[in-house]
Amino acid sequence: MKKAMPLPMDVRLMNFTANLLVVGVVLLGLGGWVWWALRHPVFAIQSITVQGEVNRTNAVTFKANVMPRLNGNFFTLDLDLARQAFEDVPWVRSAVVHRDFPNRLRAVLQEHQPMALWGDEVASTMVNLQGQVFEANIDDVEVENLPRLKGPQGLSLDVMKMYRHLQPVFQAMDMDIDQLELSPRGSWRVLTKTGAQLELGRGTQDEIGAYLQRFFRTLSQVTARYGRTPTSLAGADLRHKDGYALRLRGVSTVEDKKKP
C-alpha cells in the first residue's frame, strides 16, 4: 500500500482559508437574517390578548396604560417590563405575559378583590383578599358594604387577619365591625356600624378574641341593671386590668370592677 503523502503547507493553508471563508459567509448570512428579523415590521407587536379576570378594566385602559410602555418587537420585548406595565394598571393584582408568534402578546391577569377600605377616609386605597394594599377608584365598588381598616404601613395583612378573627364574635351579638384600627403602639380599636367604639388594647388574635368574648358574656347582665340592652352600647374600654369601663346611650359612664 502506498502511504498518503502529507499535503504541502501551502495547500493546507489554502484549505484552511477556504473553510474559514465559508464559515464567515454562513455567519454573515445568519447575522443578516437576525438583523432582518429584528427590524422587520412583521414582528412588531400588533395586538394584545387579555385573559383572566378583567371585570373592572377595559381595552381603552390597557391601551392607554400598557401600549406606550412596550418597547421592542416579538424578539426583543422584555417580558418582565411588560408584566410590570400590566400590574401598574389599576385593579390588576398580577399578570403573566406570553409571546404568541409572530407579533402578539397574551396576558393572563388576576384582579384585586377588595375586602376593605384602607387608611383615612380621604384615601383611595383598599385591601384585597390577600391583605395587600392597592389604589384604585373606590367608586367602582359598593363602599357601604366594606369595612375600613387602619394600621401602620406594612401591617395590612395583620389587620385583615384580626378583622376576620373578630367579625364573627361581633356578629354573634348582632353587631358588625365598621372600622378596625391598629395604632402605632400596637393597640386595637373597633368602631361598630351602630357607632359604638371599643378600646381592645394590645394582644394576639386569640388574646383579643378572648377578652372580647368575656366582655360580651357579661354585657347583657350589666346593661340590664340600667334598663338597657346590648344594642345601647356606645363604647367600652377593655384595657383595664380588673374590669372595663362601659358607656351606654342615655346613661353616664359605667364602671364594672369584675373581669369581663
Side-chain angles (χ1 to χ4, degrees):
M1 294 181 61
K2 294 182 179 180
K3 293 184 178 181
M5 298 296 291
L7 293 175
M9 180 60 71
D10 57 344
V11 175
R12 284 187 287 172
L13 287 174
M14 289 178 62
N15 289 340
F16 175 78
T17 303
N19 292 334
L20 190 62
L21 287 173
V22 170
V23 172
V25 169
V26 172
L27 291 177
L28 285 174
L30 289 175
W33 183 88
V34 171
W35 180 259
W36 173 85
L38 293 177
R39 296 290 182 175
H40 200 284
V42 73
F43 297 112
I45 301 300
Q46 299 294 328
S47 65
I48 300 175
T49 301
V50 176
Q51 300 173 339
E53 301 171 355
V54 287
N55 299 320
R56 291 186 173 91
T57 311
N58 54 40
V60 175
T61 302
F62 285 120
K63 184 176 181 180
N65 290 272
V66 176
M67 290 300 292
R69 297 175 57 180
L70 299 180
N71 297 318
N73 63 13
F74 178 82
F75 297 102
T76 62
L77 180 71
D78 189 323
L79 290 183
D80 283 338
L81 293 180
R83 173 188 56 78
Q84 187 61 54
F86 277 101
E87 291 180 352
D88 286 343
V89 175
W91 290 109
V92 176
R93 182 173 72 88
S94 67
V96 179
V97 183
H98 306 273
R99 294 184 176 93
D100 285 344
F101 190 82
N103 53 20
R104 297 187 299 274
L105 289 181
R106 177 167 46 90
V108 182
L109 308 181
Q110 287 185 331
E111 283 188 337
H112 291 286
Q113 300 299 324
M115 180 207 151
L117 304 173
W118 178 260
D120 296 329
E121 284 71 11
V122 296
S124 58
T125 49
M126 289 168 273
V127 179
N128 63 20
L129 296 177
Q130 292 73 33
Q132 301 168 320
V133 176
F134 68 99
E135 186 170 359
N137 185 5
I138 61 175
D139 293 333
D140 293 339
V141 299
E142 297 180 0
V143 178
E144 62 275 8
N145 294 330
L146 296 179
R148 181 171 295 277
L149 307 181
K150 297 182 179 182
Q153 184 177 3
L155 295 181
S156 57
L157 180 59
D158 294 333
V159 179
M160 183 199 72
K161 288 181 178 179
M162 181 64 82
Y163 170 82
R164 286 178 169 172
H165 188 73
L166 298 183
Q167 175 66 350
V169 181
F170 278 90
Q171 288 180 330
M173 297 295 295
D174 293 326
M175 300 181 188
D176 284 295
I177 297 176
D178 185 58
Q179 181 173 298
L180 174 64
E181 180 178 359
L182 174 62
S183 74
R185 300 183 63 181
S187 185
W188 296 94
R189 176 185 297 117
V190 166
L191 181 67
T192 69
K193 287 188 179 296
T194 58
Q197 181 171 298
L198 288 80
E199 298 288 350
L200 305 181
R202 303 178 187 178
T204 65
Q205 289 183 30
D206 291 338
E207 290 171 342
I208 296 295
Y211 298 158
L212 195 59
Q213 288 177 337
R214 288 197 298 268
F215 166 69
F216 282 146
R217 280 198 297 266
T218 63
L219 180 61
S220 297
Q221 301 172 12
V222 175
T223 54
R225 298 176 195 169
Y226 299 90
R228 298 289 188 275
T229 65
T231 57
S232 63
L233 178 66
D237 191 340
L238 278 61
R239 295 172 297 179
H240 297 269
K241 182 179 179 180
D242 298 321
Y244 53 77
L246 187 66
R247 288 188 297 110
L248 303 176
R249 294 183 181 88
V251 180
S252 301
T253 301
V254 179
E255 295 283 349
D256 191 273
K257 296 303 181 180
K258 297 180 181 179
K259 285 191 175 181

